[in-house]
């Protein structure tokens, strides 16, 4: 039984190909900087958008045609979706997938029933993983959709809701371990607030840290060795999300002694909502050894919310890959397409076009980034730009061996600082264009 009978397995045909159902740049076995494209990117398909997205928006219901899905919340329907998901990943040669517990298995009438549903689906997922070789990049618990989470989960004012969320994460950790998941993600969901008049921020942050410590402890207890990741996002659904950007997450993790246990899962559209570029977020996390994984997508400058579009812009993907290569590559992480087709792209085949485009854009971005690095244009410029620091004075300051008084004495002797050199931004932007 095939759910995508009109699509064969997607092949690499090279840049000259005009076949929209072929890769033009993603050549899984091609080696770049000593590693195959497959291993650089570790592409992953998300269950929530690709299998569960309906195309609904605040103005109207879903439009997506998904002939295999009867629209019900039944286990049978959920089991069928598992087959669809793996056929899709296989035809796309995506080596990984990612899910929320409630994407894959229906919420039951009680926690016990939800656990049982999840177990049943996990069994099917495990069988399909064994059958296809497709692996789980990460699992996560949906702690934001159900009305019980209206005030948040780990930061809820209602202790019972905290307990419920804890139970859900415990179960999701067990299932993620059972499926060999390589990471476990916490995205903030409703961990944040709308208004400080009714909020005890300090207590909420303390609770969030407690929650993460419990997860770390439980992972140790059951022998789950996947990497914990936090996914920053500054707003949506709450006005102030606690995990607003890479810097805020790292500060929180450091303040609560969680830093050794976590890295970050950075998402392009979240970076831009935070007023940063993805490149900034990647570099910020990278230089602190906290670059874990990426949720690959793009926003829309004209819209300004989390539109979760597939990335097709080579500048963006080249910038992502420049930073990923600079910081030593994705280890347990991957390029996870947390992206959805537009409401108007309602046919199953649009899911293929979307992912093929994203994979090709990242493959092209990788090649551009590697070419820039091979020529050393940016590295050499940056090295030269800071070269005054390589002298005696700079080295003394960097080593912590200078005081304000030393520097005053030095500058009194010189009278004026040495002249500055041009930043040459426009020249460098032109040089980057030579590689596009
Ligand atoms: C929400 C978002 C989530 C996380 C997983 O904006 O990105 O889908 O990736 O919870
Ligand atoms: Co995401």
């Amino acid at each position: 039984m095939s759910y995508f009978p009109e699509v064969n397995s997607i092949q690499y045909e090279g840049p000259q190909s005009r076949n929209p159902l072929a890769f033009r740049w993603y050549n899984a076995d091609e080696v770049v900087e000593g590693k195959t494209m497959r291993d650089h990117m570790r592409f992953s398909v998300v269950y929530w958008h690709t299998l569960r997205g309906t195309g609904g928006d605040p103005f109207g219901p879903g439009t997506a045609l998904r002939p295999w899905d009867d629209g019900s919340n039944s286990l049978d329907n959920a089991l069928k979706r598992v087959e669809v998901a793996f056929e899709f990943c296989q035809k796309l040669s995506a080596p990984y997938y990612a899910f929320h517990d409630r994407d894959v298995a229906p919420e039951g009438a009680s926690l016990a029933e939800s656990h049982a549903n999840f177990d049943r689906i996990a069994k099917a997922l495990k069988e399909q993983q064994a059958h296809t070789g497709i692996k789980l990049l990460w699992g996560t618990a949906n702690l934001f959709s159900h009305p019980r989470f209206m005030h948040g989960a780990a930061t809820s004012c209602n202790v019972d809701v905290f307990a419920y969320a804890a139970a859900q994460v415990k179960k999701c950790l067990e299932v993620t371990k059972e499926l060999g998941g390589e990471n476990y993600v916490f995205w903030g969901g409703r961990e944040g607030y709308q208004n400080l008049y009714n909020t005890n921020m300090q207590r909420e942050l303390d609770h969030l840290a407690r929650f993460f410590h419990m997860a770390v402890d439980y992972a140790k207890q059951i022998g789950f060795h996947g990497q914990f990741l936090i996914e920053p996002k500054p707003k949506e659904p709450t006005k102030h999300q606690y995990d607003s950007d890479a810097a805020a997450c790292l500060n929180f993790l450091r303040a609560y002694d969680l830093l050794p246990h976590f890295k970050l899962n950075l998402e392009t559209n979240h970076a831009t909502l935070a007023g940063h570029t993805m490149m900034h977020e990647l570099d910020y996390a990278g230089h602190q050894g906290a670059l874990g994984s990426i949720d690959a997508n793009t926003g829309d400058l004209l819209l300004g919310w989390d539109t979760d579009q597939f990335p097709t812009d080579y500048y963006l993907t080249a910038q992502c890959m420049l930073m990923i290569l600079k910081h030593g590559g994705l280890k347990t992480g991957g390029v996870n397409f947390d992206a959805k087709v537009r409401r108007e792209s309602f046919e199953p085949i649009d899911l293929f076009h979307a992912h093929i485009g994203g994979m090709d854009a990242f493959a092209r971005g990788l090649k551009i980034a590697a070419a820039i690095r091979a020529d050393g244009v940016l590295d050499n410029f940056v090295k030269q730009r800071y070269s005054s620091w390589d002298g005696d004075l700079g080295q003394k300051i960097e080593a912590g061996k200078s005081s304000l008084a030393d520097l005053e004495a030095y500058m009194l002797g010189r009278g004026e600082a040495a002249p500055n050199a041009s930043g040459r931004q426009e020249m460098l932007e032109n040089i980057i264009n030579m590689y596009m």
Side-chain angles (χ1 to χ4, degrees):
M1 167 74 196
S2 167
Y3 297 98
F4 303 97
E6 73 280 34
V7 182
N8 297 320
S9 134
I10 308 299
Q11 303 295 319
Y12 170 70
E13 292 184 4
Q16 305 315 319
S17 173
R18 291 295 175 261
N19 174 5
L21 289 174
F23 295 121
R24 297 171 59 245
W25 298 103
Y26 182 58
N27 182 10
D29 294 317
E30 186 176 333
V31 174
V32 178
E33 291 200 13
K35 216 157 87 173
T36 61
M37 284 194 173
R38 183 187 295 107
D39 291 343
H40 272 291
M41 256 87 75
R42 298 159 54 86
F43 285 124
S44 165
V45 170
V46 305
Y47 220 94
W48 51 102
H49 290 311
T50 298
L51 275 299
R52 305 307 309 275
T54 63
D57 72 11
F59 305 95
T63 54
L65 285 181
R66 302 291 182 253
W68 54 82
D69 199 307
D70 66 17
S72 78
N73 218 11
S74 73
L75 263 180
D76 280 347
N77 199 24
L79 285 166
K80 201 187 273 181
R81 283 191 210 107
V82 172
E83 293 176 20
V84 178
F86 281 83
E87 182 185 334
F88 182 77
C89 291
Q90 223 178 0
K91 286 191 164 168
L92 198 64
S93 42
Y96 288 94
Y97 73 111
F99 63 66
H100 300 85
D101 49 1
R102 301 301 181 246
D103 308 329
V104 290
E107 174 126 11
S110 65
L111 181 62
E113 200 180 303
S114 297
H115 280 0
N117 289 348
F118 198 12
D119 282 334
R120 176 63 193 92
I121 301 296
K123 187 165 169 277
L125 292 168
K126 193 171 179 182
E127 283 164 10
Q128 284 284 351
Q129 287 185 203
H131 179 63
T132 61
I134 290 161
K135 296 184 278 188
L136 179 61
L137 186 68
W138 47 265
T140 188
N142 179 329
L143 306 177
F144 45 89
S145 293
H146 192 282
R148 81 173 68 83
F149 298 120
M150 64 173 70
H151 298 295
T155 65
S156 175
C157 47
N158 178 344
V159 67
D160 261 18
V161 172
F162 182 102
Y164 197 104
Q168 217 178 304
V169 167
K170 174 177 177 288
K171 183 71 188 174
C172 198
L173 278 168
E174 291 162 8
V175 170
T176 302
K177 173 181 188 286
E178 176 68 19
L179 296 177
E182 299 186 22
N183 306 269
Y184 187 89
V185 166
F186 291 96
W187 162 60
R190 295 180 195 276
E191 316 295 22
Y193 67 91
Q194 306 286 13
N195 193 307
L196 270 184
Y197 293 156
N198 67 7
T199 301
N200 185 334
M201 177 154 53
Q202 182 179 352
R203 209 163 179 189
E204 293 201 359
L205 286 169
D206 288 350
H207 294 168
L208 185 58
R210 269 282 93 242
F211 196 83
F212 288 150
H213 274 292
M214 285 185 212
V216 168
D217 291 346
Y218 191 64
K220 208 171 287 169
Q221 189 183 322
I222 64 174
F224 171 64
H225 302 297
Q227 174 67 50
F228 279 111
L229 300 170
I230 290 189
E231 182 178 324
K233 182 177 182 180
K235 52 192 166 196
E236 268 198 309
T238 75
K239 180 165 157 177
H240 300 275
Q241 295 280 122
Y242 291 132
D243 302 330
S244 55
D245 65 3
C249 287
L250 290 171
N251 179 60
F252 169 85
L253 292 169
R254 196 172 273 117
Y256 287 98
D257 294 326
L258 286 159
L259 202 50
H261 309 291
F262 282 82
K263 290 186 177 176
L264 302 181
N265 179 39
L266 297 165
E267 177 164 331
T268 319
N269 207 160
H270 297 178
T272 48
L273 287 177
H276 300 306
T277 60
M278 181 63 162
M279 205 177 176
H280 167 92
E281 290 289 86
L282 289 164
D283 207 24
Y284 199 98
H287 77 249
Q288 303 215 25
L291 173 50
S293 194
I294 70 168
D295 271 10
N297 62 19
T298 190
D300 186 320
L301 280 179
L302 301 185
L303 296 178
W305 65 86
D306 197 15
T307 58
D308 280 347
Q309 287 163 240
F310 278 84
T312 54
D313 180 341
Y314 294 161
Y315 284 92
L316 170 66
T317 56
Q319 289 171 0
C320 289
M321 293 315 301
L322 269 175
M323 288 299 123
I324 289 170
L325 294 174
K326 171 179 172 183
H327 294 294
L330 300 168
K331 305 275 172 2
T332 65
V335 174
N336 180 52
F337 289 112
D338 190 356
K340 61 185 175 202
V341 290
R342 298 303 87 189
R343 188 169 188 266
E344 302 81 359
S345 306
F346 58 91
E347 294 179 351
I349 200 156
D350 290 307
L351 297 171
F352 279 95
H353 291 306
H355 284 83
I356 291 168
M359 291 164 81
D360 258 353
F362 264 87
R364 181 80 183 107
L366 169 65
K367 296 192 72 146
I368 293 167
I372 293 170
R373 282 161 56 83
D375 290 350
V377 273
L378 292 183
D379 281 353
N380 293 341
F381 188 88
V382 173
K383 195 171 182 320
Q384 177 58 31
R385 185 161 181 244
Y386 290 86
S387 58
S388 72
W389 284 88
D390 301 333
D392 288 347
L393 179 67
Q395 289 304 291
K396 240 177 117 183
I397 298 172
E398 285 189 354
K401 291 182 183 142
S402 277
S403 66
L404 290 183
D406 293 341
L407 298 183
E408 182 194 41
Y410 165 78
M411 217 15 99
L412 283 170
R414 281 187 64 97
E416 182 50 87
N420 283 308
S422 168
R424 295 264 189 273
Q425 179 176 326
E426 296 76 6
M427 179 193 81
L428 293 170
E429 287 169 345
N430 297 348
I431 290 176
I432 295 298
N433 273 350
M434 296 174 194
Y435 292 85
M436 286 293 155

